Amino acid sequence: MISEDLEFLISQYVDGTIAPADRAALEAQLAANEEARLLVHEYQKLDTLVRSSVPELPKVDLDALGVRINDAIDAQEAAARQRFRIGRRLGAGLAIAASAMLAVGVWFGTQGHRDNGGGGGGRPAVAGKPAVVEIAVLQPEELVAAGPVVQQIRIGPPPAAGGRHPSRVVSEAVVTRPQALFIAKAEGPAQDTFRTPY
Amino acid sequence: MERKATDPEQTDAASPSDGQLVSETLAGKRECFDELIKRYQRQAVAVSYRLLGNVHDASEVTQDAFLKAYSSLASLQKPEAFGGWLMRIVSNLSLNYRRGRKTRSQLPLDDVLGPIESGQAAASGQSDWMSQSADPAHAVQSAEMGRRLQEALNELPEKQRVAIVMFTIEQMPQKEIAEALNCSVEAVKWHVFQGRKKLKEMLKGYI
């Protein structure tokens, strides 16, 4: 009866992967153990049987496969570039809208201080209370499309008849929110060169 | 026993190593990845074919594996182990594909065995191994042995099956198989041993 440890060593011996330190000891055992020698032959015959019985690899046009692989990589990279470009333009539009909304909020905040008796440009500090500081937020500059417009996105509800925005107009000084955003396809650089108000 | 030399450093001292090709690819030289494709696509198809038994599926898996390898190349911690890492992707994709196929239909053994009729072999264009024997009796016996072998391989646990396919059939170095199986070389030896033991039992009438 052969132990599993011995059988494992025999398996490595058949493969030629047995450690040199174990080889000499195993060969000594094989010389004295007929059952172990039979197992070596069985494993060798099994390997020969497996290699001779397994079918040949069918003919594959490796050149054509290589071309398909490269085409798939090209398609994947093109899709990734397209997703980045659209995401960047949408991000710029959202930044414009976000800065406009922040400006409205700041203006209302400063108006509230003025209504409470504060002077233009802010109120001086009163003992025990912090000074009110006005923050002027410039309107974001309008981007000029470098190429033909490929997508138009409307922000908010459509303008009412006469072109007047249906929302309540508080003051002409309020920074208006663009009603539409135009995304143009351009041959611009990959890096974002848009200057945000922040 | 001589193993197939998949490491280019063993075949041609002048050609860049896998590690160099990986680094150059990450630096933006796409042609370096083309070289890696040329080096490993045959082996990838072969391993996948042995696991799936279908050359069309093996080609699809190989394409997906290289695509995945290219996308994840920056995550490869040992660039010089690209071959084994790629084989890990190939074997994982093949086994996943196989599991999915198992739930849908019977495993197709026809592509592994090759058609019995020579006319069918020519028409399918997938296997010409049957035409190598002019003796019909021998051909039938070989077909039976091939069928029995594939059935026995299918019964092995996944890691033992992959180890036997890569080591015994494709004669890949154990170090590369260790990368593919994400285990130690000792563990590869153990998987080969256990797989071989089970195969011996299942095929004892043929040995």
Side-chain angles (χ1 to χ4, degrees):
Chain A
M1 185 66 180
I2 295 178
S3 69
E4 192 169 60
D5 287 345
L6 177 58
E7 198 169 345
F8 184 33
L9 282 174
I10 289 173
S11 175
Q12 295 172 68
Y13 180 76
V14 167
D15 293 337
T17 59
I18 190 169
D22 295 328
R23 175 183 287 275
L26 178 63
E27 284 176 345
Q29 267 192 297
L30 289 174
N33 189 333
E34 187 182 349
E35 193 181 354
R37 287 199 302 275
L38 279 173
L39 188 57
V40 170
H41 289 307
E42 279 181 9
Y43 276 156
Q44 287 170 337
K45 280 164 65 178
L46 175 67
D47 275 8
T48 303
L49 181 68
V50 168
R51 292 201 188 104
S52 64
S53 300
V54 71
E56 291 284 327
L57 183 67
K59 287 187 173 63
V60 176
D61 188 345
L62 294 178
D63 289 335
L65 178 59
V67 168
R68 287 205 304 275
I69 291 170
N70 273 301
D71 287 347
I73 292 174
D74 288 338
Q76 187 181 62
E77 289 194 309
R81 279 195 299 271
Q82 183 69 11
R83 280 195 300 271
F84 174 75
R85 220 176 277 129
I86 291 174
R88 192 166 68 86
R89 293 294 183 186
L90 281 176
L94 289 172
I96 293 171
S99 64
M101 288 171 67
L102 178 62
V104 168
V106 167
W107 185 87
F108 273 113
T110 55
Q111 280 296 94
H113 282 292
R114 284 205 191 97
D115 290 344
N116 290 333
R123 286 187 297 169
V126 174
K129 291 188 179 177
V132 175
V133 178
E134 274 192 356
I135 301 173
V137 178
L138 301 175
Q139 287 194 27
E141 60 190 19
E142 192 173 18
L143 293 175
V144 177
V149 172
V150 298
Q151 187 66 36
Q152 177 182 351
I153 298 175
R154 186 173 296 283
I155 300 175
R164 192 177 174 79
H165 201 278
S167 61
R168 181 170 168 246
V169 177
V170 177
S171 165
E172 290 301 322
V174 172
V175 174
T176 56
R177 177 179 64 172
Q179 295 176 358
L181 187 69
F182 299 94
I183 297 175
K185 187 174 177 181
E187 297 297 325
Q191 288 296 320
D192 188 355
T193 57
F194 174 73
R195 284 191 305 112
T196 65
Y198 305 104
Chain B
M1 175 190 299
E2 282 204 16
R3 296 273 113 190
K4 283 182 185 175
T6 53
D7 187 349
E9 286 176 345
Q10 296 178 7
T11 55
D12 184 356
S15 59
S17 67
D18 287 357
Q20 286 173 319
L21 289 173
V22 168
S23 300
E24 295 288 309
T25 301
L26 289 171
K29 290 184 183 173
R30 172 72 180 275
E31 62 273 17
C32 293
F33 195 75
D34 291 344
E35 178 60 29
L36 289 169
I37 293 173
K38 283 182 194 147
R39 284 184 187 183
Y40 287 105
Q41 61 177 348
R42 187 251 158 223
Q43 187 179 84
V45 171
V47 167
S48 184
Y49 174 70
R50 302 299 177 204
L51 293 174
L52 293 175
N54 178 299
V55 72
H56 174 74
D57 293 345
S59 297
E60 293 290 317
V61 165
T62 297
Q63 182 178 317
D64 290 345
F66 274 106
L67 195 59
K68 200 174 173 76
Y70 184 80
S71 304
S72 320
L73 203 58
S75 68
L76 177 55
Q77 293 181 348
K78 290 186 284 185
E80 63 276 10
F82 174 83
W85 178 69
L86 176 69
M87 289 307 124
R88 189 193 313 175
I89 297 173
V90 169
S91 58
N92 285 343
L93 286 177
S94 299
L95 293 172
N96 286 342
Y97 192 94
R98 183 190 165 86
R99 284 185 214 114
R101 199 172 60 186
K102 231 178 182 176
T103 60
R104 291 194 298 272
S105 62
Q106 190 74 14
L107 287 173
L109 296 179
D110 291 345
D111 292 313
V112 176
L113 305 175
I116 299 295
E117 300 297 330
S118 58
Q120 289 179 19
S124 71
Q126 286 189 354
S127 174
D128 60 355
W129 69 284
M130 290 295 292
S131 62
Q132 293 172 7
S133 171
D135 181 1
H138 180 261
V140 171
Q141 194 178 10
S142 296
E144 172 58 27
M145 186 61 235
R147 191 192 330 267
R148 189 65 199 99
L149 172 63
Q150 189 62 42
E151 286 174 358
L153 282 172
N154 289 341
E155 287 179 43
L156 293 177
E158 282 181 358
K159 286 207 168 175
Q160 291 173 22
R161 186 186 324 130
V162 172
I164 291 288
V165 164
M166 288 187 176
F167 185 76
T168 306
I169 297 174
E170 291 301 318
Q171 300 183 58
M172 288 168 55
Q174 286 189 340
K175 192 177 170 188
E176 198 169 308
I177 301 172
E179 283 291 337
L181 291 177
N182 196 24
C183 64
S184 64
V185 170
E186 278 301 306
V188 170
K189 291 179 184 179
W190 184 256
H191 290 314
V192 169
F193 163 57
Q194 290 293 329
R196 181 182 270 145
K197 215 165 87 161
K198 290 189 179 72
L199 281 179
K200 185 167 80 76
E201 188 57 33
M202 287 189 273
L203 299 173
K204 60 185 171 187
Y206 300 90
I207 299 175

